[in-house]
Amino acid sequence: QVQVKESGGGSVQSGGSLRLSCTTSEDIYSRHCMGWFRQVPGNEREGVAGIDDDGSTTYGNSVKGRFTISRDNRKRTVYLQMNSLKPEDSATYYCVAGTCRVLLAAVRGQNLGSFGYWGQGTQVTVSS
């Protein structure tokens, strides 16, 4: 049973933009913070962005000023707008719903333990 589902990945040239979307069930959406993480095979998972239920946002250092996370509560959807994309942004992007304290700390690079519901991931490829 898919509880968190991403969409919107694809291929783009350096400097381009993509928008990722993530939907989940009402039960999960209403009780958790939402976030985006990314991973390249062989590398550690990296926090990209997180958003809490009042709209406060947190970003990983490598994407600040280029990526924007937002949420539409009517649609139970979280978005990640990615601008000025670089080849090093290429990765599988995962949407996560999780406990706010742990998820937002993980976005900042602090490991406070496992958390949440993960999507299957969507691939983003940025060519130079």
Side-chain angles (χ1 to χ4, degrees):
Q1 182 180 358
V2 176
Q3 294 182 302
V4 178
K5 184 173 177 60
E6 309 94 339
S7 62
S11 297
V12 65
Q13 289 192 327
S14 181
S17 298
L18 282 174
R19 188 177 79 158
L20 306 182
S21 300
C22 172
T23 59
T24 185
S25 66
E26 174 62 28
D27 180 58
I28 291 174
Y29 186 87
S30 63
R31 295 189 295 114
H32 294 89
C33 282
M34 303 293 294
W36 291 92
F37 292 77
R38 66 188 183 187
Q39 190 166 23
V40 175
N43 289 5
E44 291 188 358
R45 181 187 70 198
E46 180 184 8
V48 176
I51 187 167
D52 65 19
D53 55 2
D54 70 3
S56 297
T57 58
T58 300
Y59 295 94
N61 288 334
S62 63
V63 305
K64 285 180 180 177
R66 299 187 299 122
F67 291 12
T68 302
I69 187 171
S70 61
R71 63 194 298 167
D72 184 334
N73 293 334
R74 292 178 304 166
K75 298 181 179 179
R76 300 195 313 273
T77 300
V78 175
Y79 303 99
L80 184 68
Q81 178 66 43
M82 305 184 294
N83 297 330
S84 301
L85 282 161
K86 306 173 182 179
E88 51 264 44
D89 293 318
S90 298
T92 301
Y93 282 71
Y94 297 91
C95 180
V96 185
T99 304
C100 290
R101 185 179 67 89
V102 180
L103 186 152
L104 297 178
V107 170
R108 295 189 295 267
Q110 301 169 294
N111 184 0
L112 299 184
S114 62
F115 58 93
Y117 302 87
W118 290 76
Q120 295 297 306
T122 185
Q123 181 66 38
V124 171
T125 303
V126 184
S127 58
S128 57

